[in-house]
Amino acid sequence: MTDLRTDNDIAPIPPRTVGDAIADLREAREEWRSRQDEARDVESFPSRAALERVLSLLAAALYPRRLGHFRGPVAEEDTFVVAKLLAAITDLEREIGHELGYWQCEAGAFEADHATTIVRLFTATLGDIRRLIDSDVEAAFLGDPAARSVDEILVCYPGAIASLHHRIAHELNNLGAPIVARLISEIANERTGIDIHPGAQIGPRFFIDHGTGVV
C-alpha cells in the first residue's frame, strides 16, 4: 500500500520551549554573577544615550552658531550658551553620579557632592577646550589643501569631530570619571572610525585627515 502522507503531514521535532530558554538564561546569569563582583551596582552604569545628549549640548555651548544652530544676534549668544550648558551639566552630573555609584564598592564612599565637584572643575576647563579645538581646526585648514573653510572642517571632518570628543573625554578622565570618558570616546569612534583613548595626552594643533580605522 502506498503511503500518501506528504512532508507537511509529518510533525516536526518541537523546538525548545520559551520556558526552557528562560531557565537556560537564568542559569547563565547566575553563572556569570558567581564569577563577578555582585556588590557592584550595575544598574547605576552611566547611560550612553544620555551622554550622546550631553555631547550635543556641549557642542552647542562650545560652538553656538556652527554646531548649536543659533541664528540670533551676537549679543544674545550668551543666553543661548547658558541654556545649553545648564542642561548639559545637569545631565552630566547625573551620569557621573551613576559612575561613582558603580565604583563605590571598590573605592569606598564618595563625598555626597563629588559628582558636583567634578562637573564644576570640568566646566572651568571649557574655555581651554574650545581653544584647543580651534587650534585643531586651524591646523586641519592649513594642512589640507582640499579644505575650503574652517567651518567646513568643524562641521564635516571626522578628525575635527573626534578631536572635540577627545578634548571633552580627556578632561573628564583626568578629573575622575573614566567610564563616562570612555563612553564618550566610543561614541566618537562609532561616529568617525577614529579611536582615541581618553587618557591620551595630545597637545594643540592636532589633525587627523580622513581617519577611518585610526587608533
Side-chain angles (χ1 to χ4, degrees):
M1 181 174 180
T2 304
D3 188 350
L4 299 178
R5 290 180 302 171
T6 66
D7 289 342
N8 291 333
D9 297 323
I10 301 173
I13 298 173
R16 299 185 67 195
T17 66
V18 171
D20 290 335
I22 289 172
D24 270 355
L25 288 170
R26 184 190 317 115
E27 183 179 347
R29 292 196 304 271
E30 290 170 353
E31 290 171 0
W32 172 259
R33 287 168 180 159
S34 71
R35 300 194 300 270
Q36 308 302 319
D37 184 353
E38 294 186 20
R40 184 169 289 151
D41 183 9
V42 71
E43 281 76 15
S44 72
F45 201 82
S47 163
R48 181 185 178 114
L51 289 172
E52 287 177 344
R53 179 173 183 268
V54 167
L55 286 167
S56 178
L57 291 166
L58 287 175
L62 288 164
Y63 294 92
R65 293 184 182 275
R66 285 178 280 177
L67 300 181
H69 310 295
F70 176 71
R71 295 295 180 264
V74 172
E76 295 179 9
E77 279 184 350
D78 280 353
T79 302
F80 175 87
V81 170
V82 165
K84 296 297 183 182
L85 189 54
L86 286 177
I89 63 177
T90 297
D91 288 356
L92 181 60
E93 183 174 333
R94 182 187 64 242
E95 297 311 310
I96 292 175
H98 289 332
E99 174 170 348
L100 297 178
Y102 181 76
W103 292 122
Q104 192 108 352
C105 63
E106 293 181 6
F110 291 99
E111 296 292 333
D113 63 347
H114 194 65
T116 304
T117 299
I118 290 175
V119 170
R120 177 175 55 80
L121 294 172
F122 169 74
T123 304
T125 70
L126 287 173
D128 290 336
I129 287 174
R130 160 75 199 236
R131 293 182 183 94
L132 281 170
I133 298 167
D134 285 346
S135 76
D136 298 338
V137 170
E138 288 171 344
F141 182 64
L142 293 173
D144 184 0
R148 291 165 293 186
S149 73
V150 291
D151 296 324
E152 176 191 4
I153 290 167
L154 180 64
V155 174
C156 302
Y157 276 40
I161 296 169
S163 167
L164 185 149
H165 284 66
H166 175 71
R167 300 302 187 182
I168 291 170
H170 182 69
E171 292 296 338
L172 290 169
N173 184 74
N174 287 350
L175 290 169
I179 291 180
V180 167
R182 189 56 185 263
L183 283 168
I184 290 172
S185 73
E186 288 308 311
I187 291 168
N189 186 9
E190 183 179 272
R191 291 177 177 175
T192 67
I194 298 171
D195 184 5
I196 308 174
H197 191 280
Q201 299 277 353
I202 298 176
R205 304 182 69 76
F206 173 61
F207 171 42
I208 295 177
D209 196 9
H210 301 293
T212 300
V214 171
V215 179

